[in-house]
Amino acid sequence: MSQAPPVGAPEAQAPPAKVRPGSKPGRTGTNPLLLLLPALALILGIFAYPLAESMWRSVSDPQLGTQNYEWFFGSSGNLAILGRTLWIALLSMLICLALAYPYAYLMVIAGPKARAALIVIVLIPFWTSLMIRSFAWIVLLQDSGLVNSFLGIIGLGPYNLIRNTTGVLIGMVQVLLPFMVLPLYSVMSGVDMRLVQAAQSLGARPAVAFLRVFVPLSMPGVVSGCLLVFIQALGFYITPALLGSPSEMLISQYIYMQVNQQLQWGRGGTLGVVLLVATLILLGVLGLMMRRSRRLLGDRGKLL
Amino acid sequence: MKHKTATQATLWTYSVLVAIWLIAPTLIVIPLSFTDKASLVFPPTGWSTRWYEKFFTDPTWMTALGNSFTVAVIVVIISTLIGTAAALGLHRWTRRNAAAVVQAGLLAPVVVPAIILAIGIYSIFLKFQLLGTVLGFVLAHSVLAMPFVVISVTAALANFDERLETAAASLGAGKWPTFFKVTLPLIIPGVVSGALFAFVTSFDEVVLSIFIKSPYLETLPVKMYGSVTRDTDPTIAAAATMIMLITTVIIVIGLLSMNRKKRVR
């Protein structure tokens, strides 16, 4: 900074009196709690309160009691919807991983220009809205759409690619793929490639060196990518609503139906609680896995 | 060596297919918006700008676009101010464990599925008559946008050398001059990228908006959602292209201004 010191400021000796009592020496500025206050007010008012309201409704609407939970766990149809939601989320996660892992690896080993292109391609979906992408998939996947015409040229199809699970998976994987690629890339780019070379120079075949050295070192990226994708997939609404079929509903569509069409607030709240609990359990489990994989890596690091 | 090139070729082929997959929806929307037919057939057989004409002359589309803009701009201002203050507060809080808990609370809206939040907000807004109001949209979108500001400003603060603030204070600068002349210029890239995220979050948000809209006030994505589920009118493609253009321009401006900042330094 080329600015002159403030006029009137004593230059020779620093005034220690500026530091107010109670604050940590050297820290300037306002009490941290005061700075946090507006954000906390927003979170409490528009996040915690609405969530608590939904939870309360699940045990109090239409009357106080556990009838909504009995309704949910007592019907095989409801459990099937929960099972389908978990299954689709799991499938999306696995497909994303299978597509993203080689892609992220190529980003690491490619030259700077190719890498920049690969990064831009991953980021484009980020600033194309979810609504637009789901809409575009409807056009691409319809019976007379581009995908089916292409399949026709190579002698396949036509297939029903829309209004079913296939359509939902195609759309969801495309939306969620960047959330798998980016954590994978950030971990992979930090892997010391000399370790792989060392394994090869000690006589490991390239494939073996890749599987036993590189893959374990990339595990933190795999875990956090899977976590991000799975949790988002559980709560997906727009894409399944537009590309799926009402007979193969996911839990978020079911919540919408209960609240908006049937005005069953209590049941909607119950479904929300179930979805939230499932999400939190997964967060916990995957968090533990992440810690374990980190520990594992620590040991391996010592061994090397 | 031959083995290595074969592996690389396979890797490239696979990745190019994945890349096509990633950008296919973006690539088809633009030509689709210039079709001369009243149906969503791709590729189009003839070209026209009639759907843009319809988009710009239809008052319902224009109102929705205006609403989206108004809401997004207010959301950017509110969530950037509140989020930056919160990130600074978290950074300065000396009780680290308590700060970590509060930070988790502030970031929670990113993890909780939007539909759960949507029904809760719907219920609350019904009670306080906020459905279909600009205030309602702004509050709901700010809750989703603010965490992104906290994340990016926190990241900027991680590389921030606090001794600079101490130095400014020891040279006699007060609280506000220190903030505006030392702290803010150093964390501005984080603030700007947080603000951009906030804009795009609000401009794209559909799930909450579907619940809190009214027949008199809806945003562009909500109008599009209604259009997609009801009819197949290429005006949607024109609207989609406009949204893409707007978000791209905003992001490019943001990136450019951040690069300029870096070069000046």
Side-chain angles (χ1 to χ4, degrees):
Chain A
M1 292 252 161
S2 58
Q3 265 151 344
V7 187
E11 281 162 45
Q13 66 224 98
K18 273 281 170 190
V19 181
R20 269 177 294 153
S23 74
K24 199 180 154 187
R27 295 289 173 94
T28 50
T30 330
N31 186 341
L33 286 175
L34 215 62
L35 287 168
L36 281 163
L37 214 57
L40 285 173
L42 184 68
I43 288 287
L44 289 176
I46 315 293
F47 177 74
Y49 174 35
L51 278 189
E53 169 87 10
S54 279
M55 286 180 190
W56 171 242
R57 283 211 187 218
S58 76
V59 291
S60 69
D61 191 297
Q63 68 227 5
L64 214 60
T66 54
Q67 78 272 10
N68 290 318
Y69 288 89
E70 280 159 26
W71 162 79
F72 179 80
F73 289 104
S75 136
S76 57
N78 291 339
L79 295 172
I81 290 178
L82 179 64
R84 188 183 302 127
T85 308
L86 290 166
W87 174 237
I88 299 258
L90 184 71
L91 273 182
S92 317
M93 181 191 90
L94 293 175
I95 299 172
C96 275
L97 183 61
L99 294 177
Y101 201 90
Y103 189 93
Y105 183 66
L106 184 67
M107 282 167 83
V108 174
I109 62 170
K113 270 190 188 152
R115 182 183 304 143
L118 290 169
I119 289 177
V120 169
I121 286 167
V122 174
L123 291 179
I124 285 174
F126 261 132
W127 70 75
T128 313
S129 100
L130 192 79
M131 191 50 236
I132 298 174
R133 285 185 279 162
S134 303
F135 156 71
W137 281 119
I138 296 179
V139 178
L140 279 169
L141 298 176
Q142 59 193 333
D143 291 346
S144 57
L146 197 63
V147 175
N148 263 323
S149 343
F150 177 75
L151 289 174
I153 293 170
I154 58 171
L156 293 166
Y159 296 109
N160 281 329
L161 298 172
I162 205 172
R163 305 260 163 264
N164 55 29
T165 308
T166 316
V168 173
L169 278 174
I170 292 174
M172 272 173 73
V173 167
Q174 195 266 341
V175 172
L176 293 170
L177 202 52
F179 294 97
M180 185 67 90
V181 171
L182 295 173
L184 276 177
Y185 171 67
S186 80
V187 170
M188 283 179 180
S189 61
V191 170
D192 190 344
M193 283 303 202
R194 286 173 304 180
L195 294 174
V196 183
Q197 286 165 10
Q200 287 189 32
S201 75
L202 290 170
R205 277 180 290 125
V208 174
F210 178 77
L211 285 175
R212 300 194 54 181
V213 178
F214 187 84
V215 171
L217 287 171
S218 69
M219 278 323 272
V222 172
V223 175
S224 63
C226 287
L227 179 83
L228 272 173
V229 168
F230 197 104
I231 286 187
Q232 289 194 73
L234 275 184
F236 249 47
Y237 175 71
I238 297 295
T239 312
L242 290 177
L243 297 173
S245 94
S247 61
E248 293 177 12
M249 229 185 303
L250 299 185
I251 200 161
S252 50
Q253 291 161 271
Y254 200 33
I255 294 176
Y256 182 85
M257 196 185 95
Q258 289 296 338
V259 171
N260 249 21
Q261 289 161 21
Q262 310 200 341
L263 300 177
Q264 292 276 9
W265 287 88
R267 291 181 174 181
T270 300
L271 292 167
V273 170
V274 170
L275 178 56
L276 193 61
V277 168
T279 309
L280 291 178
I281 289 175
L282 278 159
L283 262 175
V285 169
L286 281 158
L288 278 178
M289 273 174 70
M290 200 115 104
R291 206 171 293 164
R292 254 189 68 192
S293 82
R294 224 174 264 148
R295 234 200 345 259
L296 218 74
L297 283 176
D299 291 348
R300 216 169 276 253
K302 261 179 250 154
L303 286 177
L304 279 168
Chain B
M1 272 299 112
K2 195 172 265 175
H3 173 76
K4 197 173 179 183
T5 47
T7 316
Q8 287 228 352
T10 319
L11 204 54
W12 269 108
T13 319
Y14 191 77
S15 300
V16 166
L17 291 175
V18 173
I20 293 173
W21 180 268
L22 274 168
I23 54 175
T26 312
L27 288 184
I28 72 141
V29 167
I30 300 167
L32 197 62
S33 66
F34 289 102
T35 182
D36 63 344
K37 298 264 163 47
S39 66
L40 294 166
V41 175
F42 190 87
T45 44
W47 307 96
S48 109
T49 53
R50 60 189 268 215
W51 303 109
Y52 284 90
E53 247 175 77
K54 191 172 171 213
F55 180 76
F56 283 105
T57 51
D58 182 334
T60 61
W61 281 104
M62 279 295 102
T63 319
L65 178 67
N67 292 339
S68 275
F69 250 116
T70 314
V71 170
V73 168
I74 306 175
V75 166
V76 166
I77 296 169
I78 290 180
S79 59
T80 307
L81 282 175
I82 292 183
T84 306
L88 283 167
L90 287 171
H91 187 70
R92 286 179 188 168
W93 206 353
T94 43
R95 291 178 54 199
R96 300 315 303 165
N97 286 338
V101 171
V102 170
Q103 181 169 31
L106 293 183
L107 302 186
V110 179
V111 187
V112 170
I115 190 88
I116 305 179
L117 190 56
I119 56 169
I121 289 184
Y122 181 33
S123 161
I124 302 288
F125 280 14
L126 205 61
K127 208 185 283 178
F128 293 103
Q129 298 182 341
L130 284 167
L131 291 178
T133 63
V134 172
L135 178 64
F137 273 98
V138 165
L139 288 174
H141 286 187
S142 295
V143 152
L144 293 184
M146 192 259 296
F148 291 110
V149 180
V150 174
I151 290 171
S152 64
V153 177
T154 302
L157 282 168
N159 302 320
F160 177 71
D161 188 349
E162 279 155 46
R163 286 172 302 180
L164 293 170
E165 278 183 348
T166 317
S170 74
L171 290 170
K175 194 163 82 182
W176 290 107
T178 306
F179 177 73
F180 281 108
K181 292 196 168 154
V182 180
T183 316
L184 189 61
L186 286 170
I187 60 166
I188 199 74
V191 177
V192 171
S193 70
L196 292 176
F197 260 116
F199 186 92
V200 175
T201 303
S202 168
F203 209 74
D204 269 0
E205 209 291 317
V206 208
V207 180
L208 289 186
S209 305
I210 291 174
F211 276 87
I212 60 174
K213 62 150 196 201
S214 75
Y216 313 102
L217 192 84
E218 59 180 9
T219 52
L220 197 51
V222 177
K223 166 101 178 130
M224 283 179 66
Y225 184 80
S227 263
V228 173
T229 46
R230 270 195 310 271
D231 43 57
T232 46
D233 170 350
T235 316
I236 305 161
T241 310
M242 290 309 301
I243 296 185
M244 255 155 52
L245 195 70
I246 291 165
T247 40
T248 307
V249 166
I250 299 243
I251 285 166
V252 169
I253 289 175
L255 291 177
L256 286 180
S257 71
M258 258 150 74
N259 275 344
R260 251 209 10 232
K261 268 259 143 44
K262 257 182 224 149
R263 243 182 294 135
V264 169
R265 220 150 281 264

